[in-house]
C-alpha cells in the first residue's frame, strides 16, 4: 500500500435499485454498476469527497448524494445499500497482500 493514500472500491448492494453511475467530486468513478458488482480498488487522497449516485439509464436522476471522508492508509468498500432509501455505507477492509494466495472468509 502506497503511503499518503487510501483505497476504496464500490459495491452495488441494493437489490431493488437499477444500475448506477457513481461520481466523486463530479468525476465519474463507476459506470453502469449493477447489483452485486464491485469496482476495482481506487487509490484516493485521504480527504472528504462528495459522492453522487445517478441512474445509469439517463445519467441525470440523482438517487444518492453524500459526503464521505477517507483516512490515510485504510482500505474501504463503499456499499450502496437500501434501507428505506439508498445510502452509502463505508466498510473498512483489511489488507490481504500477505494472504493473496489463500482463500478466506469474512
Amino acid at each position: 500500500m502506497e503511503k499518503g493514500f487510501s483505497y476504496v472500491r464500490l459495491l452495488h448492494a441494493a437489490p431493488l435499485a437499477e444500475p448506477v453511475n457513481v461520481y466523486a467530486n463530479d468525476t465519474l468513478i463507476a459506470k453502469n454498476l449493477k447489483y452485486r458488482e464491485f469496482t476495482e480498488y481506487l487509490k484516493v487522497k485521504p480527504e472528504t469527497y462528495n459522492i453522487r449516485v445517478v441512474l445509469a439509464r439517463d445519467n441525470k436522476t440523482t438517487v444518492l448524494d453524500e459526503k464521505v471522508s477517507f483516512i490515510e492508509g485504510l482500505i474501504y468498500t463503499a456499499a450502496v445499500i437500501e434501507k428505506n432509501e439508498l445510502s452509502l455505507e463505508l466498510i473498512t477492509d483489511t489488507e490481504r497482500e500477505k494472504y493473496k494466495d489463500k482463500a478466506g472468509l469474512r
Side-chain angles (χ1 to χ4, degrees):
M1 179 183 310
E2 190 175 339
K3 245 181 158 16
F5 292 94
S6 302
Y7 292 82
V8 62
R9 66 179 175 173
L10 301 165
L11 165 63
H12 187 322
L16 300 178
E18 298 177 32
V20 295
N21 295 337
V22 183
Y23 291 84
N25 295 345
D26 294 322
T27 299
L28 181 66
I29 58 170
K31 186 173 183 177
N32 203 35
L33 191 64
K34 296 173 184 67
Y35 175 58
R36 294 187 177 176
E37 287 185 342
F38 286 90
T39 65
E40 296 293 323
Y41 280 99
L42 306 168
K43 181 171 73 171
V44 298
K45 292 182 181 178
E47 49 190 54
T48 299
Y49 293 85
N50 183 64
I51 303 297
R52 189 167 54 89
V53 178
V54 300
L55 297 180
R57 67 177 150 84
D58 67 5
N59 202 39
K60 293 179 185 175
T61 305
T62 299
V63 293
L64 175 62
D65 194 347
E66 289 188 19
K67 291 195 182 306
V68 295
S69 298
F70 300 112
I71 298 170
E72 179 181 345
L74 293 184
I75 304 167
Y76 300 91
T77 295
V80 177
I81 63 170
E82 194 168 21
K83 292 183 180 175
N84 293 331
E85 57 186 29
L86 292 183
S87 62
L88 195 65
E89 179 148 341
L90 280 184
I91 303 160
T92 305
D93 294 339
T94 56
E95 189 171 359
R96 294 186 183 86
E97 186 63 30
K98 58 186 166 192
Y99 304 110
K100 68 180 178 181
D101 296 329
K102 303 198 184 307
L105 296 173
R106 66 174 176 165

